[in-house]
Amino acid sequence: VALKCMLNFNVPPVKNSIGEPVWKVLIYDRFGQDIISPLLSVKELRDMGITLHLLLHSDRDAIPDVPAVYFVMPTEENIDRICQDLRNQLYESYYLNFISAISRSKLEDIASAAIGANAVTQVAKVFDQYLNFITLEDDMFVLCNQNKELVSYRAINRPDITDTEMETIMDTIVDSLFCFFVTLGGIPIIRCSRGTAAEMVAVKLDKKLRENLRDARNSLFTGDTLGAGQFSFQRPLLVLVDRNIDLATPLHHTWTYQALVHDVLDFHLNRVNLEESTGTESSQAGARPKKKNKKSYDLTASDKFWQKHKGSPFPEVAESVQQELESYRAQEDEVKRLKSIMGIEGEDEGAISMLSDNTAKLTSAVSSLPELLEKKRLIDLHTNVATAVLEHIKSRKLDVYFEYEEKIMSKSTLDKSLLDMISDPDAGTPEDKMRLFLIYYISSAQAPSEIDLEQYTKALMDAGCNLAPLSYIKQWKAFTKMASAPASYGNTTPKPLGLFSRVMNTGSQFVMEGVKNLVLKQQNLPVTRILDNLMEMKSNPETDDYRYFDPKMLRGSDSSVPRNKNPFQEAIVFVVGGGNYIEYQNLIDYIKGKQGKHVLYGCSELFNATQFIKQV
């Protein structure tokens, strides 16, 4: 909503307005591009009158009779480039929107450039948009994508980090969270764990919100914006958790569609990139394999199949794609049948009455064509994506890994020794084995004995694993042992429903033989459990000493005692140090069971296990 308002020259767009939109150019930097692309498609931009969208630092031609909307970060080089545009008189008028607040001195630079270029009247509006975060779903956001290594898990947890570096990282995170609450239009009540990076974020965010509220003239939380927020009657709860409370989940193999796509494919800012191998030419011997085609698909909110099934276990997804395909084929056959009847010759009465009857049918068939084509596009898209995921599941035995890890995490009996899993050359990549062992190591109440550990390390080395992550996790475990007991993951295991082959009918294009049909049981991961305690005001040793901040209180008090005793209706969970789709899905499943409650999931970066393991 905020973006659409900005693209409409910062006036809320009027619905059903007659007439053409004002044609304009959109100029953004990489940050702006990342914020807009998951939310607005090129078609939607065009509907809003954006004929051209260009990167700020590309070579742009002058278009003297068109207004330009800028959406950029207030950095030195961006400001210089804007001043240069003013001097070169590129556009008719300039609407400058900064993603996060611009400093006084930089505003003065623009002003003096405008005077120098005699273009003061052309700078129509200058706005701070406070949109420095990326929304991936209606209930999920991530801080940044450009320079994300600056706020990564590794950056926060480096042993040799200096205080000033840490301050900078925390300020970056807080700036984005502040933008998030300005856009939401509400002041949260903040809870966080003590002695972690999350606590530093909480202290700084509390201070920043507090200062903004005190400055009554320029406060961003007063007047009309507050009523517009979704949460006007009750304040949301912000739970800040540190990635270190649970390192097993980001390494876990998963079984739901969205998380699997993120785990095994190249899925980034809601776009998945696939390589399609086209097979080899069979005509002559020694033929070159054809080059791989790269295809990318957007998995967005407008994709109904994705919205419905992104949280479903993979077997269910495969079955649904098949069902969709069959219903599509039936509709297509109906259209073909009608076409053939329309070619009727002869004048006999039967044909004519049939014709008039069919004309009505054909008319409705034709009018449903666009819908049918869209359906076909989605079926093809998900067939390709699901097939690509399935190849990974089969070649790496991911179903076996998933089931085995769930058993480890829920402390149930294992049917096969861990050593066998690691030394089995057919099961998984070296990285899969490493993930499995790290989960075992993190979840075990006491660390394995030196002798066992030596056996495991040897097996891991033989399997070709990189052992660097293990040494990090060892230190981490030794450190957290002093701090607290290990997180528990509930005690449920997935129930296998027997093999797939029985479920899938023979006509299916997904060859699922030998893949286990596992059904998930809802169990709360540590992050969800913490949210549950704080949102429902349950007393629990895990969260009782969480700090409590209320930026609206006059004096900040350092207490763990919440003033508000009522359960919350809305909550935002934010993971400092990075998050993943497994946790997001777990939270969504949890909140489904709670009538009328909402939860949003945010993280400083979104990583899958491969990216995470490289950081530890």
Side-chain angles (χ1 to χ4, degrees):
V1 171
L3 282 174
K4 285 187 169 169
C5 175
M6 174 189 89
L7 295 175
N8 202 37
F9 305 126
N10 293 302
V11 191
V14 186
K15 284 219 175 99
N16 328 328
S17 56
I18 311 149
E20 295 276 290
V22 181
W23 300 113
K24 47 193 170 283
V25 188
L26 170 65
I27 312 289
Y28 48 48
D29 60 0
R30 293 255 176 242
F31 286 92
Q33 186 178 24
D34 288 340
I35 292 168
I36 293 174
S37 69
L39 292 173
L40 297 169
S41 64
V42 175
K43 180 186 175 305
E44 287 170 295
L45 288 175
R46 197 173 306 124
D47 292 344
M48 299 202 60
I50 304 286
T51 46
L52 207 58
H53 40 95
L54 302 162
L55 279 164
L56 177 66
H57 292 285
S58 56
D59 290 331
R60 291 173 278 115
D61 300 328
I63 313 178
D65 49 356
V66 170
V69 176
Y70 285 74
F71 184 50
V72 294
M73 286 292 268
T75 58
E76 288 285 320
E77 50 197 335
N78 284 354
I79 304 290
D80 291 348
R81 188 60 194 256
I82 290 172
C83 296
Q84 194 184 320
D85 287 355
L86 290 171
R87 283 187 215 103
N88 299 342
Q89 302 192 341
L90 288 188
Y91 307 108
E92 176 197 54
S93 56
Y94 303 84
Y95 292 80
L96 306 177
N97 297 282
F98 295 102
I99 297 172
S100 72
I102 182 173
S103 65
R104 172 88 201 207
S105 62
K106 288 183 181 149
L107 260 179
E108 286 168 0
D109 295 346
I110 297 181
S112 56
I115 292 169
N118 204 356
V120 178
T121 50
Q122 292 169 304
V123 180
K125 287 182 181 176
V126 181
F127 267 87
D128 285 335
Q129 287 294 346
Y130 294 102
L131 288 175
N132 191 13
F133 57 94
I134 299 173
T135 313
L136 295 175
E137 308 268 349
D138 288 343
D139 44 20
M140 178 179 198
F141 67 99
V142 50
L143 291 196
C144 64
N145 172 42
Q146 301 297 322
N147 319 349
K148 64 175 170 216
E149 61 284 348
L150 299 180
V151 295
S152 65
Y153 177 80
R154 171 179 274 170
I156 299 171
N157 291 285
R158 272 196 4 241
D160 56 347
I161 189 165
T162 63
D163 286 354
T164 42
E165 287 172 315
M166 195 64 174
E167 290 285 312
T168 316
I169 295 175
M170 294 300 132
D171 287 338
T172 313
I173 294 180
V174 167
D175 178 64
S176 286
L177 279 172
F178 180 74
C179 290
F180 176 80
F181 285 106
V182 172
T183 306
L184 249 186
I187 299 264
I189 284 172
I190 308 171
R191 302 293 305 263
C192 69
S193 51
R194 292 174 183 271
T196 56
E199 184 178 26
M200 296 187 216
V201 173
V203 172
K204 278 181 177 288
L205 182 62
D206 176 60
K207 181 166 175 270
K208 188 159 185 162
L209 288 166
R210 195 175 285 277
E211 281 167 4
N212 192 274
L213 283 170
R214 295 294 156 270
D215 177 6
R217 232 181 61 219
N218 301 317
S219 174
L220 296 157
F221 293 97
T222 48
D224 48 358
T225 50
L226 272 182
Q230 297 166 297
F231 308 144
S232 38
F233 51 96
Q234 198 196 13
R235 291 170 59 194
L237 164 74
L238 169 65
V239 181
L240 287 164
V241 291
D242 195 278
R243 179 71 274 159
N244 284 321
I245 58 157
D246 171 17
L247 290 184
T249 305
L251 297 166
H252 190 19
H253 286 89
T254 170
W255 202 234
T256 56
Y257 192 28
Q258 184 174 31
L260 266 169
V261 168
H262 188 231
D263 190 4
V264 300
L265 305 176
D266 171 15
F267 180 54
H268 189 64
L269 294 182
N270 292 353
R271 167 169 289 183
V272 62
N273 297 309
L274 291 184
E275 281 195 350
E276 298 187 334
S277 49
T278 40
T280 49
E281 301 271 307
S282 51
S283 49
Q284 73 268 34
R288 293 202 313 262
K290 281 198 200 161
K291 73 175 205 300
K292 294 192 165 179
N293 289 342
K294 276 203 158 20
K295 278 206 141 164
S296 67
Y297 302 106
D298 290 317
L299 298 171
T300 57
S302 56
D303 178 339
K304 292 194 182 69
F305 186 89
W306 177 244
Q307 286 309 317
K308 190 171 165 196
H309 293 292
K310 63 185 184 194
S312 311
F314 187 73
E316 241 173 74
V317 174
E319 220 176 327
S320 307
V321 172
Q322 189 59 29
Q323 284 164 359
E324 291 280 317
L325 186 65
E326 279 158 21
S327 84
Y328 166 75
R329 283 190 180 142
Q331 277 173 292
E332 197 181 38
D333 290 345
E334 175 64 5
V335 174
K336 281 185 185 152
R337 196 181 66 77
L338 289 169
K339 274 190 187 157
S340 66
I341 294 175
M342 294 312 263
I344 297 168
E345 266 98 53
E347 295 295 311
D348 61 338
E349 315 241 303
I352 291 185
S353 66
M354 211 163 144
L355 202 66
S356 56
D357 182 31
N358 277 319
T359 315
K361 277 192 189 162
L362 191 71
T363 317
S364 83
V366 169
S367 62
S368 68
L369 266 178
E371 197 182 307
L372 212 63
L373 288 170
E374 174 61 6
K375 201 169 176 181
K376 174 93 170 78
R377 185 185 72 81
L378 291 181
I379 292 170
D380 290 347
L381 184 160
H382 287 286
T383 305
N384 291 341
V385 173
T387 309
V389 170
L390 183 61
E391 278 169 20
H392 282 276
I393 292 179
K394 285 162 77 167
S395 66
R396 291 161 55 182
K397 298 199 176 164
L398 297 184
D399 50 335
V400 182
Y401 274 93
F402 167 70
E403 190 180 21
Y404 200 84
E405 288 166 10
E406 289 273 317
K407 283 182 179 162
I408 292 176
M409 287 160 87
S410 61
K411 313 248 188 298
S412 37
T413 45
L414 304 173
D415 47 357
K416 186 177 176 185
S417 88
L418 184 64
L419 212 52
D420 292 349
M421 283 284 287
I422 295 172
S423 7
D424 176 359
D426 297 335
T429 59
E431 187 182 273
D432 290 325
K433 297 181 198 295
M434 196 67 203
R435 284 163 64 177
L436 173 68
F437 182 70
L438 290 176
I439 288 175
Y440 163 73
Y441 193 85
I442 290 166
S443 311
S444 57
Q446 60 272 2
S449 67
E450 283 302 314
I451 304 161
D452 288 355
L453 197 58
E454 217 163 277
Q455 258 192 315
Y456 286 133
T457 353
K458 186 180 177 313
L460 287 165
M461 279 172 75
D462 293 345
C465 298
N466 168 11
L467 293 180
L470 181 57
S471 53
Y472 174 82
I473 298 284
K474 270 187 191 161
Q475 292 167 346
W476 170 82
K477 192 160 170 109
F479 175 74
T480 38
K481 195 177 247 144
M482 304 183 299
S484 67
S488 74
Y489 294 88
N491 51 352
T492 54
T493 45
K495 289 255 172 44
L497 272 190
L499 292 176
F500 260 124
S501 41
R502 283 211 298 273
V503 185
M504 303 302 284
N505 46 17
T506 39
S508 169
Q509 45 190 323
F510 294 106
V511 189
M512 287 288 201
E513 262 123 73
V515 179
K516 293 184 176 181
N517 187 7
L518 301 166
V519 179
L520 295 171
K521 285 176 75 173
Q522 171 63 21
Q523 57 184 21
N524 291 340
L525 294 172
V527 169
T528 310
R529 262 207 329 277
I530 290 169
L531 169 81
D532 180 48
N533 293 339
L534 296 172
M535 199 169 174
E536 302 294 338
M537 291 288 167
K538 295 177 180 170
S539 171
N540 187 309
E542 198 176 11
T543 51
D544 280 349
D545 70 331
Y546 269 46
R547 288 186 63 177
Y548 178 91
F549 296 90
D550 182 348
K552 282 193 172 177
M553 301 297 289
L554 275 170
R555 282 180 308 285
S557 60
D558 174 34
S559 75
S560 323
V561 185
R563 309 238 166 158
N564 172 0
K565 294 285 186 282
N566 303 330
F568 288 88
Q569 296 303 107
E570 272 94 20
I572 296 113
V573 178
F574 185 81
V575 189
V576 179
N580 53 58
Y581 281 110
I582 306 178
E583 267 168 1
Y584 163 66
Q585 195 52 53
N586 193 257
L587 279 170
I588 301 305
D589 291 342
Y590 156 80
I591 212 76
K592 271 184 198 150
K594 309 264 177 231
Q595 208 60 48
K597 299 203 170 198
H598 301 285
V599 62
L600 307 173
Y601 178 75
C603 47
S604 49
E605 62 167 334
L606 193 58
F607 45 52
N608 62 16
T610 311
Q611 294 155 335
F612 182 56
I613 237 178
K614 289 196 181 101
Q615 291 198 29
V616 305

